[in-house]
Amino acid sequence: MEKTVKILKKPMAATLLAIFFGFVVATVILAASGYHPFEAFGALLSGIFGRPKYISNVIIKSTPIILTGVSVAFAYKMGLFNIGAEGQFIVGAVAANIVGIVCDFPAIIEIPLVLLVGAAAGALYGGISGWLKAKYHINEVIIGIMLNWIALYLSNFVCNIDRFHKPDSDGTYAIHESGFISFFTNWKTTEAAADFVRNHPIIGDILRTDANAGILIAIGLTFAVSFLLYKTTKGYELRAVGSNRDAAEFAGINVGKNMVQTMLIAGALSGIAAAISIAGNNPHGISQLSAFESNGLNGLSVAFIAGGSPVGCIFAGLLFGGLLYGGQSIQYMVGAPSEIINILIGTIVFLIALKDMVPVLVEKMWKRGAKS
């Protein structure tokens, strides 16, 4: 039993347990609603793995969520709750879109420019939260929520500017093709591509999607953030402040400066996630928002599922993206409401939040059993 308690104390075990019970809860709700649970989960798996096209779309959907998850996880290591990742994502998308429309350089310049401008806009927006927290001790959650709404209305304002608004639409023009990071963008429309697709159905199925280099960028940045946190002096400072702010300050670490730097980096990660979406996915522009698209808010769930681990956000993001994309199959294949996926995700996140209670409960039950 002692070994069981030790195993349950490990983050991976708690996460897997939460995912398992999340599916158990979803099973009960489906059965109570009159749907066959295994048929629904079969539809879910089919919607994720049924075709190469589906797998590609899951990866595409997961990419921005992975980076916003890393953004939240990075800030959390410093003891900051980056609920403003949604606003940082929106501002990054707006900035990347504007630059991609205004500038038309060769791809070797245009692509880095679009990505870096998106990252810079997100960094500056995140830096506002860090500066206000460090300077005036304003809670970063309140700041983040307010800035999220400002970003939403800023995005809608830009969509209506004549220079960027696309006629007969509710969005902007697409960025120039030289800024696209999608694979074989122009080649896909040729006859040679049509012949290739016919002769290579698996690869051809993938090429029908917006497959792009975004996942490679996301993985590279995730490992870079992990290296910064665990292999550098700056990372040690950030984690020291997150563990005990007063002790870190007593040791001579500039807490305020580290807060600002943390939120700058976190914002940059959310901003570049948005720039990747603009450069990699159709329609390569932004549209008016009536509500948040939840790219940043989903990053909160990804960070929790990953236990605050940047590398863990890769796997949590893929799980999250798979559930969101594959969950659509439950509705049109089984007829069950797609909201069951939101219940499943919410249950998983809720149980992960309670993961520290599981070993305690098991230990108490073991002690009672030993006494009796």
Side-chain angles (χ1 to χ4, degrees):
M1 184 58 71
E2 289 182 4
K3 288 183 179 179
T4 303
V5 173
K6 287 181 180 179
I7 291 172
L8 289 172
K9 285 182 178 179
K10 293 182 179 180
M12 178 61 74
T15 300
L16 293 175
L17 202 61
I19 293 170
F20 171 75
F21 280 109
F23 276 96
V24 169
V25 170
T27 299
V28 172
I29 293 173
L30 282 167
S33 303
Y35 299 101
H36 197 290
F38 294 107
E39 188 180 350
F41 293 141
L44 172 63
L45 292 175
S46 177
I48 298 173
F49 302 108
R51 289 176 58 181
K53 172 184 175 180
Y54 299 159
I55 297 173
S56 178
N57 281 328
V58 166
I59 293 172
I60 292 167
K61 193 168 188 66
S62 300
T63 300
I65 305 174
I66 290 170
L67 282 173
T68 54
V70 175
S71 170
V72 174
F74 181 79
Y76 189 71
K77 292 295 182 184
M78 172 71 182
L80 298 172
F81 191 58
N82 186 24
I83 201 170
E86 182 74 23
Q88 295 150 20
F89 185 96
I90 294 172
V91 167
V94 170
N97 195 204
I98 290 173
V99 170
I101 293 172
V102 172
C103 302
D104 187 14
F105 298 116
I108 196 170
I109 298 174
E110 184 82 359
I111 291 173
L113 180 64
V114 169
L115 296 180
L116 289 174
V117 166
L124 289 174
Y125 213 60
I128 295 172
S129 296
W131 181 74
L132 290 173
K133 172 77 171 181
K135 183 76 173 176
Y136 300 106
H137 306 288
I138 304 174
N139 189 287
E140 72 275 12
V141 174
I142 297 173
I143 302 168
I145 292 171
M146 296 298 102
L147 289 177
N148 286 347
W149 285 104
I150 293 171
L152 185 145
Y153 291 114
L154 172 65
S155 177
N156 289 347
F157 173 76
V158 171
C159 284
N160 287 305
I161 296 176
D162 290 339
R163 174 68 177 84
F164 306 113
H165 179 71
K166 184 178 180 180
D168 302 320
S169 76
D170 61 352
T172 64
Y173 291 104
I175 65 172
H176 287 99
E177 284 190 19
S178 57
F180 292 2
I181 60 169
S182 47
F183 296 133
F184 311 113
T185 305
N186 295 321
W187 178 78
K188 288 179 183 179
T189 59
T190 64
E191 289 213 6
D195 292 336
F196 181 87
V197 167
R198 280 193 294 270
N199 297 323
H200 303 81
I202 294 177
I203 299 176
D205 206 34
I206 294 172
L207 290 177
R208 290 190 180 94
T209 68
D210 287 328
N212 60 73
I215 188 64
L216 303 177
I217 299 170
I219 291 172
L221 287 172
T222 299
F223 279 101
V225 167
S226 184
F227 180 84
L228 171 64
L229 276 174
Y230 299 108
K231 301 294 182 181
T232 66
T233 304
K234 172 54 67 177
Y236 175 79
E237 284 186 10
L238 297 176
R239 289 184 291 114
V241 174
S243 297
N244 192 320
R245 192 167 297 174
D246 294 330
E249 193 168 16
F250 182 77
I253 297 174
N254 190 326
V255 174
K257 179 181 175 182
N258 278 282
M259 280 184 184
V260 176
Q261 290 175 342
T262 297
M263 291 307 297
L264 283 170
I265 295 171
L269 289 166
S270 295
I272 201 169
I276 287 171
S277 294
I278 295 294
N281 306 330
N282 278 314
H284 299 285
I286 58 174
S287 300
Q288 289 194 52
L289 301 171
S290 58
F292 294 122
E293 294 181 323
S294 296
N295 289 293
L297 297 175
N298 286 339
L300 297 173
S301 299
V302 167
F304 282 129
I305 292 172
S309 165
V311 175
C313 287
I314 296 174
F315 303 101
L318 289 170
L319 170 67
F320 208 92
L323 291 174
L324 290 175
Y325 181 79
Q328 302 170 74
S329 302
I330 292 179
Q331 188 167 25
Y332 67 76
M333 289 178 69
V334 181
S338 59
E339 284 77 14
I340 191 67
I341 294 299
N342 295 328
I343 294 172
L344 171 60
I345 292 170
T347 304
I348 292 171
V349 174
F350 176 72
L351 291 174
I352 286 175
L354 298 176
K355 67 180 184 297
D356 292 336
M357 293 178 61
V358 175
V360 175
L361 291 173
V362 172
E363 195 167 5
K364 283 185 176 181
M365 290 171 63
W366 175 63
K367 287 180 178 178
R368 283 183 182 178
K371 285 181 180 179
S372 61

